[in-house]
Amino acid sequence: MSSRVMRIELKRSVAPWAGALVLTTALAFLYLLDAAWWRGTTAWTAQWTSMAMWTRSLLFYLWPLAVGLGALQGLRDHRSKMSELLTSTPRPAWHRAATLAGTTAITLASAFALLVLVGAVQVFAHTEYTHLGWLPISLVGALFLVAGAVLGMGAGRALPSALTPPALAMSAFVFTVLMHMSLGRTKTETATGIPGTEPNRVSLLSPTVQEVRDVLVTLSASVHVGQTIWLLGMAATGFALLIAATPRARLTALTPVLAGAVIALLVLPSDPRRMYVVDEAAAELVCDGPVCVARTHQARLADLAGPGKEALRLLHGALGGQAPVSVRENTAVLPEGSTPQWSRTTVLFDFDDDIIAAAKGPELTSALIAKGMVPGCVPVGWSGAGDGVAQTVAASWVLGDLTSLPGTQSAHLGSEADAEARPMWTKLKALPRAEQLSRINAIRTAALSCEGDVYDALKGGVSR
């Protein structure tokens, strides 16, 4: 397609408006709503994979929009009443279809690329860890828009009605919603008895991805391959419908999308743990002595190393041989709703944890001590109050004085949490040293195993 032909096609089609609508609505969605994509380590401008996943998640409405706009474009010849005239010209039907589809495809892909570029510029300024593992996520996202638009064009040509574009757009939106909420989810029950759901193989036919809750999680290669096969079949069906002139040809044109769906389902993984996988390169540990962080957060190691070593020194002084010997970012990605897994020998932490995220400078030492003593047993992906009072008392025992932890209610003087922690702290300090150590060890046992009650252990009851 020459530049002259493309310029003419841009002037007489909805392609420029489609690209502008995709780009502006996506940027408005990201910048005008204060939501999860602006918070923590998974912010869309914080890391490359998070940026790709968040922009890809916008396809829950961008893809139906592309399908509907493609259908509107497919109605152009019917609206102008030129269908019979065009079929009588010597120019091949596939040539006209390629010009029409190519212009829209280039415009939509460029709009999505600009959206990714806006995020990429900010990510580049915020992280030292650069990689290309995020690129397939964005490329498949752009292919979803292109394939959806071409399918819409073919459907608009095959069903020339003013109702076709809105009907297709709504059908595509319903499809994405069902894939995300019911048809694409399988009910599960964790070891804790908490019911939940996880994605199944069919959900991967949807353009969107699930919410980004861990910076180390990415899509597997088999997902990219399976989705690409599905999208090529979708685009082939759309193009075949554009050039089909008879009902038989239109029926035959459905073969690629059906075959693509079947082959894709054979390629796509059935196990959720093979759909969303840990990026091993990003999770590789970078260490300063006994203090380690994931490579994706290597820029934060310098600020963490000093407080981490000081926390280990204080823990060893208080617990002796029972103290942890290293501090490490927790790179284990567990299923949502499962019980956290902790270690006696390593202080495991997450940069998105409330007290770690709120700690600045010397506060990091007390925050890491708190995580080493009472790490918390709220199920993965769930929110809850946790064991803030027990955390405060246990960390204060190591530090030698009652200390409010950052990021908790106890950071505010006179708060309910602080008032509850003070009498427990007073009673604990009034005991003989051996009894204090016994209760602290019981608290750690209950907290690290996530069995029993840390408050019973703190009061001298059984912990298991």
Side-chain angles (χ1 to χ4, degrees):
M1 181 170 52
S2 67
S3 59
R4 178 174 174 273
V5 173
M6 184 174 180
R7 285 197 303 271
I8 294 173
E9 192 63 38
L10 286 172
K11 290 179 181 178
R12 59 195 292 264
S13 72
V14 299
W17 298 104
L21 194 59
V22 164
L23 179 60
T24 55
T25 56
L27 289 176
F29 200 90
L30 288 171
Y31 280 96
L32 297 182
L33 294 181
D34 182 18
W37 50 79
W38 284 113
R39 302 192 186 108
T41 59
T42 57
W44 83 288
T45 58
Q47 297 290 342
W48 293 101
T49 301
S50 299
M51 181 271 295
M53 295 285 275
W54 279 121
T55 51
R56 173 76 176 271
S57 70
L58 296 180
L59 294 185
F60 86 90
Y61 82 91
L62 290 179
W63 185 68
L65 186 64
V67 173
L69 289 170
L72 184 63
Q73 179 79 332
L75 290 176
R76 186 181 64 183
D77 294 345
H78 176 75
R79 292 197 310 268
S80 60
K81 300 180 180 180
M82 295 176 58
S83 300
E84 292 185 6
L85 176 62
L86 290 173
T87 55
S88 65
T89 62
R91 188 182 182 190
W94 70 265
H95 197 277
R96 294 194 304 271
T99 301
L100 179 68
T103 303
T104 303
I106 291 172
T107 305
L108 287 174
S110 299
F112 192 74
L114 285 174
L115 172 65
V116 172
L117 181 62
V118 171
V121 170
Q122 298 176 80
V123 172
F124 188 76
H126 291 159
T127 182
E128 293 182 0
Y129 177 62
T130 302
H131 63 102
L132 294 178
W134 61 274
L135 198 54
I137 302 173
S138 295
L139 290 175
V140 173
L143 186 56
F144 258 110
L145 289 178
V146 170
V150 175
L151 181 65
M153 287 181 210
R157 179 70 62 86
L159 302 170
S161 168
L163 297 178
T164 300
L168 279 178
M170 183 54 66
S171 298
F173 182 73
V174 170
F175 174 77
T176 60
V177 170
L178 290 177
M179 288 298 102
H180 186 69
M181 297 180 62
S182 56
L183 295 181
R185 310 290 296 185
T186 301
K187 291 183 178 180
T188 60
E189 187 170 302
T190 63
T192 59
I194 301 175
T197 63
E198 57 187 14
N200 58 36
R201 182 169 17 207
V202 177
S203 71
L204 298 175
L205 298 180
S206 170
T208 190
V209 294
Q210 65 182 19
E211 183 175 339
V212 185
R213 67 176 181 87
D214 196 301
V215 70
L216 300 177
V217 171
T218 187
L219 290 170
S220 66
S222 57
V223 171
H224 299 318
V225 173
Q227 289 182 335
T228 300
I229 293 171
W230 156 239
L231 293 174
L232 291 177
M234 185 189 300
T237 287
F239 191 80
L241 287 172
L242 272 175
I243 63 177
T246 65
R248 183 187 181 93
R250 294 188 184 103
L251 190 61
T252 305
L254 299 178
T255 302
V257 71
L258 296 177
V262 171
I263 297 173
L265 290 174
L266 294 175
V267 173
L268 293 169
S270 58
D271 185 354
R273 280 157 289 282
R274 291 177 53 229
M275 300 174 189
Y276 294 88
V277 298
V278 175
D279 185 339
E280 299 294 342
E284 182 183 350
L285 294 178
V286 179
C287 301
D288 182 344
V291 182
C292 303
V293 298
R295 184 170 296 280
T296 191
H297 293 139
Q298 60 188 13
R300 306 180 72 165
L301 180 59
D303 294 332
L304 186 74
K309 293 172 183 177
E310 177 65 10
L312 291 176
R313 185 187 69 79
L314 292 171
L315 284 167
H316 185 268
L319 300 174
Q322 298 296 316
V325 295
S326 62
V327 173
R328 178 168 63 82
E329 181 179 359
N330 191 0
T331 56
V333 178
L334 303 176
E336 187 170 359
S338 59
T339 303
Q341 298 177 2
W342 306 114
S343 168
R344 278 190 172 274
T345 58
T346 302
V347 177
L348 297 173
F349 71 93
D350 191 316
F351 283 112
D352 284 331
D353 183 271
D354 287 344
I355 63 172
I356 298 295
K360 305 295 181 184
E363 291 180 338
L364 267 174
T365 298
S366 58
L368 290 170
I369 289 173
K371 294 299 293 181
M373 298 295 289
V374 184
C377 291
V378 176
V380 175
W382 292 61
S383 59
D387 302 317
V389 174
Q391 226 171 23
T392 299
V393 173
S396 298
W397 182 83
V398 174
L399 293 167
D401 193 15
L402 184 62
T403 304
S404 296
L405 298 176
T408 65
Q409 287 182 330
S410 60
H412 304 283
L413 294 177
S415 70
E416 181 179 346
D418 201 31
E420 188 176 351
R422 188 170 295 279
M424 290 187 178
W425 159 258
T426 302
K427 290 180 181 178
L428 180 65
K429 290 298 288 182
L431 297 173
R433 176 68 183 182
E435 179 62 20
Q436 291 181 35
L437 184 58
S438 175
R439 292 197 182 186
I440 288 296
N441 284 331
I443 291 173
R444 288 195 73 215
T445 298
L448 293 172
S449 64
C450 287
E451 297 178 2
D453 191 321
V454 293
Y455 294 102
D456 284 345
L458 181 59
K459 295 172 184 176
V462 294
S463 63
R464 297 178 62 86

